Amino acid sequence: MRALSADGVQVIGIWGLGGVGKTTLVKNLNNKLVDDSTQPFGIVIWVTVSKNLVIKNIQTQIVERLKLEKVMEESEQRKAIRIYERLKKEEKFLLILDDVWTKIDLDALGVPRPEVHKGCKIILTSRRKEVCRTMTTNLEIKIEGLNDVEAWQLFCQKAGDVAHLEDIKPLAEAIVKECCRLPLAIIIVGAAMRKKTKVELWKHALKELKRSVPSIEGIEAEVYKPLKLSYDSLQGNNIKSCFLYCCLFPEDFPILISELVRDWRAEGLIGEGQNWGDMDEGISLIENLKDSCLLEDGPYGITVKMHDVVRDVAKWISSSSEDGCKSLVRSGIGLREIPVGEFSNSNSLNRVSFMGNNITRLPDRMIQCSKASVLLLQDNDALDTVPEKFLQGFEALKVLNLSGNSIRSLPHSLLQLRDLRVLRLRHCSNLEELPSLGTLTKLRELDLHGTCIANLPRWIENLSELRVLNLDETEKLKSIQPGIISKLSCLESLSMLNSGFRFRLKGEEDGQATFEELKSSFNRLHYLIISLNGIPWEKSEDLSWMNRMSHLELFFYQSPGRRGLIRIDETRFVIGNLDLSLLKEWIGWFWGNTSSLQLSECTGLDEMLEDFIKSDASFAGLKSLFIENCPTSLVRGGGCAARCDLLPNLEELHLFSMENLNSFSELAGHLGVRVHSLKSIEVQFCSEMKYVFSCGDFIQTLPNLEVIKVWNCKNLKELFKNESGQSISPNPMVPKLRILQLMNLPKLETLCRNEETWPCLEQVEVWGCKGLRRLPFTNQNAGTLEEIIGESEWWDALEWDGDQTKSSLLPFFNPYQ
């Protein structure tokens, strides 16, 4: 931090052993700077470089952080110009380059050199000091291991109280010493020894750590031995093989959990008898590996990653494994072709990965890999041909991934892979036709997402074991012959998002597949995304099959340019961009069979609600309701009022862009909704709304309301309106309210009665509400308050009952920066 503020220091190199904590250090620095509004940099840019230096990958990360437009097919030179022009506008910026292995040309990236742009500062991390010097660093900082006290504390944190047992503590201290004070080694060994109470196991671990190991290029013995011990300690069927599978992916690659688990299943490492989409066993195994600190969370919550040091060790173990996991891993290293010499001992290989390279052609010869069950060739975007002979030696393949390549066709030798379970051709945008796949009778998953096929492969109906068929983004697919889908007797997942094909309705039969024939698959399908020309159900048809779906999306083309949607997943039913009158016979079923419902951009809302009112409908199971941009004039237009509570157990309500709605209370009163159960309400962009709640005979109190959020309602004047002549309860309207968020409400003047206080309020956030002059606090009821966030000008203008109230609340106020 001192170096960052020093005038003479512009490039800082942080170096040290793999696993010593360089990345952790700069990640914490990055997070501290991003969260600190007083730090001097206009922007902080984090980039993961990795061993294989690829300029365009680094540029992509910089472009994303700068929020520049993504331009397809853009050259490195053009991208560099855009980055340079954008960074030139920053008075000061910080670029953090993590895991640098060789000199990086800043000009090629588009980053202004520090000597040219005096506001540019760079931090880089590397395992080697000489790499720092090639980047002309002004300062090199070596990261040393932990001191003895820190090392012991970290180990005990991971291993638990067992490390303090009398017979074990001397062994534990010796083990920490063998970890050479490296945080990664200590963490992984501590996790491996957690809750192990047998002294013999500790003695064995110490013996393994003291054992000499062969010299391994790029892996220090101080790191290898602890990681190998952790690997050897893994317990459970096939968990070691599952772990080693993860090193097939490039360094720092976010591995999609769903694909990883299905690949494990294809190899027979986890239960093949389960549903193909069942993730439970795989997730449990992944959590086990994360608990052992051998895997870590990746981005977005749907991926996992390997620490680069862990991956190096896993690659070494898999390269010499005799347990059916022997692997040739050459992923993400910039290869332009596959050296045939790599396959000198190919008959002993079980897994082969050349993914993420720049390979333009494959060997036009048979390579004998008779035991290989996995071949990963995805993300070689210039690869346009798979030679006929190349696959002939891979007869035992179970997983073949050719996604993200430029291949135009597939060789007929593919049809000899009779044990193949998974075939992925995702984003092969030049692929227009596949050979007949009828011989691949063991195929479980076929991914044709983003291909240019116009028809399904011939004899696909023979794939009696097929569980997953992905046809998303197949815009040129216009034909599916009748009977094909229904003959896929094990199909669990059919996904056709943005496909060119629409299933036909009754009366539309034109030699193409119909929704009617698809019904025979509903007893086994649990994931379905398809398009139709209209509503496919007949009057009084049973829709209970929808409840069996874990995910359902039906797109309805009602008129040119209008596509409606019904989406059902495990958390919510969504009806979007539909005329609700088309669902008149079935709409009550949707309201009555979910706990969470969302209506977005639908017409016919008034008519639907009037029908509910006339039929005395009540939906006791509905707890969460989202209504977005659905035109209504129901309240203003009068009509009959409900005789019973339409939503007696409603807990969460969201109203977005609801034109002509004066208040929530009017709507609730009309529908008979008593809102006793309501816990959260969010209102946004309701431009006609004058107030949210009215205090009167209908709503005396909201006893369970905990959260109120109101945004961008330009005519809102009051949060709670006092109805004249109505009896008002002496109790607080919102006795349990914890969170109040009011944003961009230019006409808002009052929240509630002046004398009312809200005793449980914890967090208040106010922005763009200059007319609001009072908050519901006194000196006595501020005990639960944790934070008030707002503009300083607004805070200074607030009116209080006395100076003591303001001074008691001042410590909780945080101004917007």
Side-chain angles (χ1 to χ4, degrees):
M1 292 296 287
R2 285 195 303 272
L4 278 178
S5 58
D7 291 337
V9 179
Q10 287 192 279
V11 184
I12 302 168
I14 296 174
W15 67 282
L17 282 174
V20 78
K22 302 180 297 296
T23 298
T24 301
L25 175 69
V26 292
K27 263 186 182 170
N28 278 282
L29 173 67
N30 175 77
N31 295 342
K32 177 180 174 65
L33 292 172
V34 168
D35 293 338
D36 184 359
S37 57
T38 63
Q39 56 91 6
F41 301 106
I43 191 165
V44 179
I45 305 166
W46 172 282
V47 174
T48 301
V49 179
S50 300
K51 192 177 295 184
N52 177 43
L53 176 62
V54 181
I55 292 295
K56 69 176 181 180
N57 291 349
I58 300 175
Q59 288 179 322
T60 298
Q61 293 178 69
I62 296 173
V63 164
E64 288 176 355
R65 181 67 182 94
L66 295 174
K67 297 181 180 178
L68 296 176
E69 181 185 358
K70 293 181 181 179
V71 180
M72 300 298 291
E73 308 293 333
E74 186 178 32
S75 68
E76 289 180 10
Q77 292 79 8
R78 179 60 197 151
K79 197 171 287 186
I81 291 170
R82 289 204 298 136
I83 292 171
Y84 186 88
E85 292 299 325
R86 171 65 178 81
L87 288 177
K88 223 171 43 167
K89 297 175 183 177
E90 290 289 345
E91 185 179 345
K92 289 186 176 182
F93 68 89
L94 173 63
L95 175 64
I96 300 175
L97 300 168
D98 185 43
D99 197 17
V100 179
W101 287 77
T102 187
K103 183 180 179 181
I104 300 173
D105 185 349
L106 296 179
D107 293 335
L109 288 181
V111 175
R113 291 179 172 276
E115 60 267 27
V116 175
H117 190 315
K118 297 303 180 183
C120 164
K121 294 220 173 190
I122 298 172
I123 294 176
L124 63 101
T125 73
S126 179
R127 295 190 197 178
R128 303 188 180 104
K129 188 175 184 179
E130 58 267 28
V131 173
C132 296
R133 287 175 173 167
T134 64
M135 292 292 292
T136 60
T137 49
N138 306 115
L139 175 67
E140 296 93 32
I141 302 172
K142 183 180 181 183
I143 305 301
E144 303 285 0
L146 305 175
N147 64 41
D148 292 338
V149 174
E150 293 168 335
W152 175 248
Q153 288 175 343
L154 180 60
F155 183 81
C156 292
Q157 180 185 327
K158 292 297 176 183
D161 294 339
V162 68
H164 294 288
L165 295 177
E166 184 178 353
D167 292 339
I168 288 176
K169 185 174 182 181
L171 296 167
E173 289 172 338
I175 284 173
V176 172
K177 187 176 180 181
E178 290 298 325
C179 289
C180 302
R181 299 181 292 132
L182 284 173
L184 180 66
I186 293 168
I187 287 168
I188 287 176
V189 173
M193 302 308 295
R194 186 170 183 80
K195 295 185 178 180
K196 292 186 176 177
T197 56
K198 288 190 176 182
V199 175
E200 293 81 2
L201 294 176
W202 289 80
K203 287 180 177 178
H204 174 71
L206 181 57
K207 182 179 176 182
E208 290 297 307
L209 290 171
K210 286 186 172 183
R211 182 196 292 182
S212 62
V213 296
S215 175
I216 305 170
E217 184 181 355
I219 307 175
E220 294 85 358
E222 301 95 319
V223 174
Y224 174 80
K225 288 191 288 185
L227 287 174
K228 182 64 164 62
L229 172 67
S230 180
Y231 170 80
D232 290 338
S233 300
L234 290 173
Q235 301 290 321
N237 293 335
N238 297 318
I239 189 170
K240 291 179 181 176
S241 184
C242 290
F243 164 68
L244 294 178
Y245 195 97
C246 298
C247 78
L248 300 178
F249 299 88
E251 187 175 319
D252 296 310
F253 187 85
I255 307 167
L256 195 62
I257 290 172
S258 57
E259 286 193 5
L260 179 63
V261 172
R262 292 201 296 267
D263 286 0
W264 286 344
R265 182 164 286 138
E267 276 207 290
L269 301 177
I270 59 177
E272 279 193 281
Q274 302 169 353
N275 288 338
W276 197 250
D278 186 352
M279 295 283 118
D280 293 349
E281 185 180 357
I283 297 294
S284 176
L285 200 150
I286 286 170
E287 290 303 312
N288 193 337
L289 291 171
K290 288 199 291 189
D291 289 344
S292 301
C293 302
L294 295 174
L295 284 183
E296 55 191 58
D297 289 320
Y300 314 118
I302 58 172
T303 62
V304 288
K305 292 175 69 175
M306 260 186 166
H307 189 286
D308 56 345
V309 177
V310 176
R311 179 176 178 270
D312 287 343
V313 172
K315 279 176 59 182
W316 170 259
I317 294 171
S318 67
S319 70
S320 54
S321 172
E322 300 297 333
D323 299 327
C325 306
K326 189 169 185 179
S327 305
L328 174 62
V329 183
R330 298 292 184 269
S331 54
I333 58 174
L335 291 177
R336 294 193 173 276
E337 61 181 34
I338 296 178
V340 176
E342 297 277 14
F343 292 95
S344 57
N345 193 20
S346 58
N347 249 335
S348 63
L349 292 173
N350 303 102
R351 296 164 173 166
V352 177
S353 177
F354 284 93
M355 71 173 286
N357 285 297
N358 302 311
I359 295 170
T360 57
R361 60 192 180 93
L362 300 172
D364 191 7
R365 51 169 286 186
M366 187 173 79
I367 295 173
Q368 201 62 46
C369 285
S370 58
K371 292 183 181 179
S373 60
V374 177
L375 177 58
L376 304 184
L377 289 167
Q378 66 264 40
D379 300 329
N380 288 284
D381 54 12
L383 180 63
D384 60 5
T385 304
V386 180
E388 187 69 41
K389 295 179 181 178
F390 179 72
L391 291 177
Q392 290 176 354
F394 287 90
E395 61 263 29
L397 276 188
K398 294 181 178 179
V399 177
L400 174 59
N401 198 331
L402 291 164
S403 301
N405 299 332
S406 297
I407 53 176
R408 299 180 179 277
S409 61
L410 292 169
H412 284 82
S413 55
L414 172 72
L415 309 181
Q416 299 168 17
L417 308 180
R418 298 177 186 273
D419 214 22
L420 195 65
R421 263 71 163 180
V422 172
L423 176 60
R424 293 200 183 101
L425 300 162
R426 192 180 186 90
H427 296 306
C428 291
S429 55
N430 293 328
L431 184 63
E432 297 180 351
E433 188 177 2
L434 279 76
S436 166
L437 300 180
T439 60
L440 305 182
T441 54
K442 293 186 178 179
L443 197 65
R444 306 302 206 264
E445 179 178 344
L446 178 59
D447 190 345
L448 299 172
H449 180 133
T451 60
C452 283
I453 60 169
N455 298 280
L456 293 183
R458 283 169 295 141
W459 302 113
I460 190 175
E461 62 269 29
N462 287 359
L463 305 183
S464 57
E465 293 292 321
L466 193 67
R467 307 293 209 275
V468 176
L469 178 58
N470 190 337
L471 297 169
D472 291 345
E473 309 293 340
T474 50
E475 296 176 1
K476 294 188 177 181
L477 179 63
K478 302 297 182 184
S479 176
I480 296 180
Q481 298 302 310
I484 289 180
I485 301 296
S486 58
K487 287 178 182 175
L488 299 174
S489 56
C490 290
L491 195 65
E492 298 170 11
S493 173
L494 174 62
S495 188
M496 300 180 66
L497 181 66
N498 296 328
S499 173
F501 183 79
R502 302 179 197 171
F503 282 86
R504 306 314 197 244
L505 307 181
K506 265 190 176 180
E508 284 187 329
E509 293 89 348
D510 56 356
Q512 299 297 324
T514 65
F515 182 78
E516 197 66 25
E517 73 168 83
L518 199 58
K519 288 181 183 178
S520 63
S521 305
F522 288 165
N523 62 334
R524 58 183 182 275
L525 274 171
H526 64 82
Y527 189 104
L528 179 65
I529 302 178
I530 58 169
S531 296
L532 304 139
N533 281 330
I535 304 297
W537 311 301
E538 297 180 347
K539 189 174 182 179
S540 303
E541 184 167 333
D542 180 16
L543 301 183
S544 60
W545 58 271
M546 290 188 179
N547 280 329
R548 297 193 293 271
M549 295 282 177
S550 63
H551 188 92
L552 172 69
E553 291 184 42
L554 302 177
F555 292 93
F556 306 98
Y557 287 81
Q558 307 154 81
S559 58
R562 184 172 185 184
R563 185 175 74 163
L565 165 69
I566 291 177
R567 184 174 75 234
I568 297 175
D569 58 30
E570 293 172 346
T571 59
R572 183 178 300 168
F573 283 15
V574 177
I575 302 176
N577 200 27
L578 265 176
D579 180 353
L580 295 173
S581 65
L582 298 175
L583 295 175
K584 186 171 184 177
E585 302 292 337
W586 309 280
I587 194 65
W589 184 91
F590 289 100
W591 281 68
N593 280 271
T594 183
S595 62
S596 180
L597 177 67
Q598 178 175 334
L599 303 176
S600 297
E601 300 183 352
C602 292
T603 55
L605 178 67
D606 290 354
E607 293 81 357
M608 177 194 70
L609 293 176
E610 287 287 0
D611 287 343
F612 288 160
I613 292 169
K614 290 174 184 176
S615 63
D616 291 334
S618 181
F619 304 106
L622 194 63
K623 295 184 177 181
S624 176
L625 178 62
F626 295 67
I627 305 180
E628 177 184 9
N629 198 17
C630 297
T632 179
S633 55
L634 186 66
V635 176
R636 291 184 174 184
C640 57
R643 291 186 293 266
C644 62
D645 192 339
L646 185 70
L647 303 168
N649 297 312
L650 188 68
E651 295 180 0
E652 182 182 10
L653 177 67
H654 297 250
L655 298 172
F656 297 165
S657 298
M658 295 295 291
E659 299 295 332
N660 298 324
L661 192 61
N662 265 334
S663 75
F664 164 68
S665 283
E666 283 189 6
L667 180 63
H670 193 74
L671 300 178
V673 178
R674 295 285 172 180
V675 295
H676 293 307
S677 302
L678 193 66
K679 293 181 179 180
S680 172
I681 183 168
E682 184 170 345
V683 180
Q684 290 192 35
F685 296 102
C686 294
S687 59
E688 297 300 312
M689 188 171 282
K690 306 293 193 302
Y691 58 93
V692 181
F693 302 101
S694 62
C695 311
D697 289 339
F698 186 74
I699 298 181
Q700 284 279 328
T701 181
L702 295 157
N704 292 298
L705 190 63
E706 297 180 8
V707 178
I708 297 176
K709 296 182 179 181
V710 186
W711 288 39
N712 298 302
C713 297
K714 62 184 181 182
N715 286 306
L716 191 83
K717 292 184 176 181
E718 301 171 272
L719 197 60
F720 289 87
K721 179 182 180 181
N722 294 320
E723 296 285 358
S724 58
Q726 299 288 335
S727 58
I728 304 296
S729 168
N731 300 317
M733 278 290 293
V734 282
K736 293 185 180 179
L737 189 70
R738 296 183 300 105
I739 297 172
L740 177 65
Q741 192 179 81
L742 305 169
M743 311 291 280
N744 195 24
L745 308 170
K747 293 186 179 180
L748 180 66
E749 296 176 355
T750 60
L751 299 182
C752 57
R753 294 169 294 173
N754 285 346
E755 66 274 16
E756 183 168 349
T757 58
W758 296 344
C760 293
L761 207 54
E762 297 172 5
Q763 186 182 62
V764 177
E765 185 172 2
V766 179
W767 181 84
C769 306
K770 294 182 179 180
L772 182 63
R773 288 288 180 261
R774 296 185 70 90
L775 294 179
F777 289 114
T778 66
N779 201 30
Q780 288 75 37
N781 83 318
T784 60
L785 189 64
E786 296 175 1
E787 187 176 37
I788 299 175
I789 305 172
E791 299 144 298
S792 296
E793 182 182 351
W794 165 78
W795 172 260
D796 293 337
L798 283 174
E799 299 170 2
W800 306 94
D801 291 335
D803 291 339
Q804 191 176 1
T805 302
K806 182 175 182 179
S807 60
S808 66
L809 296 176
L810 185 58
F812 303 104
F813 177 66
N814 289 317
Y816 276 116
Q817 299 297 328

